[in-house]
Amino acid sequence: MDFRKSVLIAGTGKSGVNAGKLLLKKGAKITFYDDNEKLDVEQFLSGFEERETIGVVLGAIDEAILKDIDLMVISPGIAVDSAIANQVRAAGIPIWSEIELAYQAGNGHLAAITGTNGKTTTTSLVGEMFQNLTDNSFTVGNIGIPYTEVALQMNEDSYTVAEVSSFQLETIVEFKPHVSAVLNVTPDHLNRHYTMENYASVKLDVCKNQTEDDFLVLNYDDPITKEMAKDERVKAKVVYFSRLHSLEEGICVKDDAIMIRENGVETKVIDTSELVLLGGHNLENYMAGIAIGYYMGIPMEIIVKTLKTFKGVAHRIEFVKEVNGVTYYNDSKGTNPDAAIKGIQAMNRRTVLIGGGYDKGVAFDDWIKAFDGKVKKLVLLGQTAQMIADTAAKYGFTDVVFANDLKEAVSMCAGFAEPGEAVLLSPACASWGMFDNYEQRGDMFKEYVNELGA
């Protein structure tokens, strides 16, 4: 594709910057847009060698500017029904997500993973499979490395696995992985997508350009993803995985081993006892990763080698330290109730739980009900603290205290927890408002925990 166009980039964060750098290398003329009129333009442009050729528009955008724009690349943090998106769309200008831009600029073999929970772990697992196959591999997306940052390094022999969000999928055009996966769909981002139906539909868009030569991996145990196979957008061959059912075709568990069943042939992959990560949700992540790797053509010996050595990801039920007989776990990636439920379920002892954060418009009932006698005390902070406390009281859980910040919460937990018990940061909420992202929240938790034993 000829990228020598005039492109408007909505957003000046990491996503926008990397999209801009890619476009400049491809010969495009770029203009950045940000609704923050106080943005330090000089500081922002200092990161570009071509700063003299780059336009920046803050606040409102003049219609005259749009007359010279051929395309807009929208950052995932900007809603598709925002004022700027509506204005650009009304002007007849195509809107691409960053993953669409990267896909059209990149090359090679592509797998894409979406879902409410488990994306980062599964993407990391598949990424390690690719790395064990070839040095010419890339692990990209919300996992940390923007797709646009490395797209131009790819060639026809590259293997890329992308973690993609619903925000990014809203504006894909030709994006087409060979293997796509929707791991699960539970309430999340409803302040952006408004309804569960909208949210689930956007997730399934990951496969909308696939053909019968491609594969769509779905969770048979999730009622929403199970039914996705019936959607008219699905042209790819559907591959189910299940930890609860014995499937005639797909990936499932039999006699404490993970099996692949395909065309009437059953192949044992690995005994579950050989897997490092514990918990039913991680078993699902393993099975999804096996399906993706297998249908991407990764040799079975490489898949098995990777499964045996994969250690998981930071901020997902991550052991931090034992202090005075109390074990501390960082599950900062538990940014919604369903993810946080899995954090609680993974605990095998009485637990002091830290929760609360940014309000994404979801209910906390199922999270509270999952405490099931395991949570000793709940320490709350952030925008949702009172809402969660009220929900807990509705179900008879009243061992609740409030903290002003995370450091105070950790200090309080150290006083509440007794030897043999655990302290778990699993907020069930996003980090925004108090932290830049869940990684910063998790890193600060670990820092405060390590100070306890200093």
Side-chain angles (χ1 to χ4, degrees):
M1 176 181 174
D2 186 358
F3 283 91
R4 288 172 293 179
K5 298 174 180 281
S6 182
V7 183
L8 180 67
I9 301 172
T12 56
K14 188 175 182 180
S15 171
V17 167
N18 281 286
K21 289 181 176 179
L22 185 157
L23 286 162
L24 287 168
K25 289 176 182 176
K26 298 292 284 186
K29 176 185 177 183
I30 65 171
T31 300
F32 283 96
Y33 167 80
D34 198 302
D35 63 0
N36 176 17
E37 297 183 9
K38 297 181 180 180
L39 178 74
D40 187 333
V41 174
E42 287 300 313
Q43 176 65 30
F44 172 69
L45 290 177
S46 66
F48 294 88
E49 294 179 6
E50 309 89 341
R51 56 183 299 168
E52 299 301 324
T53 68
I54 299 171
V56 179
V57 178
L58 303 180
I61 192 164
D62 194 284
E63 292 292 335
I65 295 175
L66 295 182
K67 289 180 180 179
D68 296 324
I69 298 296
D70 301 307
L71 169 71
M72 182 169 87
V73 175
I74 190 169
S75 297
I78 300 175
V80 293
D81 59 355
S82 63
I84 182 63
N86 289 336
Q87 186 180 5
V88 167
R89 197 178 292 112
I93 300 168
I95 300 176
W96 285 7
S97 65
E98 57 172 335
I99 62 171
E100 180 67 30
L101 172 63
Y103 174 77
Q104 297 225 15
N107 209 333
H109 310 280
L110 174 65
I113 299 170
T114 193
T116 307
N117 299 304
K119 295 188 298 297
T120 301
T121 299
T122 306
T123 302
S124 297
L125 173 60
V126 175
E128 288 195 17
M129 291 179 188
F130 288 178
Q131 290 164 21
N132 288 332
L133 175 71
T134 174
D135 290 336
N136 187 9
S137 66
F138 302 89
T139 304
V140 301
N142 294 346
I143 198 165
I145 301 175
Y147 195 174
T148 47
E149 185 176 320
V150 293
L152 296 181
Q153 301 173 31
M154 298 171 186
N155 57 42
E156 61 182 12
D157 297 320
S158 298
Y159 278 79
T160 300
V161 56
E163 176 188 344
V164 296
S165 71
S166 56
F167 297 171
Q168 295 166 318
L169 290 169
E170 287 178 308
T171 44
I172 60 171
V173 181
E174 298 179 12
F175 179 78
K176 178 183 174 296
H178 178 50
V179 179
S180 64
V182 186
L183 304 180
N184 46 62
V185 179
T186 58
D188 200 11
H189 301 303
L190 299 187
N191 57 331
R192 171 90 167 239
H193 299 297
Y194 305 116
T195 69
M196 279 295 293
E197 290 76 16
N198 289 343
Y199 178 50
S201 180
V202 171
K203 287 292 190 187
L204 187 57
D205 272 344
V206 71
C207 79
K208 73 177 186 179
N209 294 316
Q210 289 185 296
T211 70
E212 59 274 9
D213 296 324
D214 302 311
F215 297 89
L216 169 62
V217 177
L218 296 174
N219 186 346
Y220 190 86
D221 301 335
D222 183 299
I224 294 178
T225 56
K226 180 182 177 182
E227 294 300 310
M228 283 180 170
K230 301 175 183 177
D231 193 282
E232 63 182 8
R233 284 168 289 177
V234 177
K235 306 289 193 303
K237 179 181 178 182
V238 171
V239 178
Y240 281 118
F241 65 91
S242 173
R243 67 180 176 90
L244 302 177
H245 300 86
S246 179
L247 304 177
E248 291 185 8
E249 291 271 323
I251 319 296
C252 59
V253 179
K254 175 185 175 183
D255 298 330
D256 296 322
I258 298 177
M259 318 294 292
I260 295 178
R261 290 176 174 162
E262 181 184 36
N263 300 323
V265 177
E266 181 179 83
T267 304
K268 177 181 172 180
V269 180
I270 192 170
D271 290 317
T272 56
S273 61
E274 297 180 84
L275 302 173
V276 175
L277 305 181
L278 303 178
H281 65 292
N282 276 322
L283 185 55
E284 293 178 359
N285 295 334
Y286 278 122
M287 289 191 289
I290 290 167
I292 296 163
Y294 181 76
Y295 288 102
M296 285 294 291
I298 306 302
M300 186 57 71
E301 60 268 24
I302 290 180
I303 292 175
V304 173
K305 172 188 174 183
T306 309
L307 294 171
K308 289 181 177 180
T309 58
F310 181 63
K311 298 293 195 299
V313 296
H315 310 296
R316 194 66 182 110
I317 318 177
E318 175 191 12
F319 170 77
V320 179
K321 191 176 184 179
E322 183 176 307
V323 182
N324 299 325
V326 176
T327 308
Y328 290 78
Y329 291 93
N330 166 31
D331 191 35
S332 183
K333 204 173 188 310
T335 58
N336 58 66
D338 189 64
I341 286 171
K342 292 176 171 60
I344 295 168
Q345 290 173 340
M347 296 295 102
N348 58 4
R349 63 193 73 188
R350 290 269 283 170
T351 299
V352 179
L353 177 63
I354 301 174
Y358 179 81
D359 184 6
K360 293 195 288 183
V362 299
F364 299 97
D365 298 68
D366 289 343
W367 182 48
I368 300 297
K369 287 189 283 188
F371 289 3
D372 196 28
K374 192 179 293 184
V375 176
K376 173 182 178 179
K377 190 174 288 288
L378 179 59
V379 180
L380 295 172
L381 66 161
Q383 188 180 22
T384 57
Q386 190 59 56
M387 185 190 313
I388 293 172
D390 292 343
T391 304
K394 186 167 66 172
Y395 294 99
F397 188 94
T398 57
D399 289 327
V400 177
V401 294
F402 297 91
N404 292 314
D405 53 39
L406 184 57
K407 185 170 187 177
E408 183 181 36
V410 171
S411 177
M412 294 169 72
C413 289
F416 295 138
E418 299 176 6
E421 296 180 340
V423 171
L424 171 68
L425 169 69
S426 189
C429 300
S431 57
W432 310 320
M434 300 182 75
F435 308 93
D436 292 340
N437 46 49
Y438 73 83
E439 292 99 336
Q440 184 190 57
R441 177 171 62 187
D443 287 340
M444 290 179 69
F445 174 76
K446 290 188 284 187
E447 178 182 327
Y448 300 146
V449 170
N450 284 317
E451 288 174 357
L452 293 175

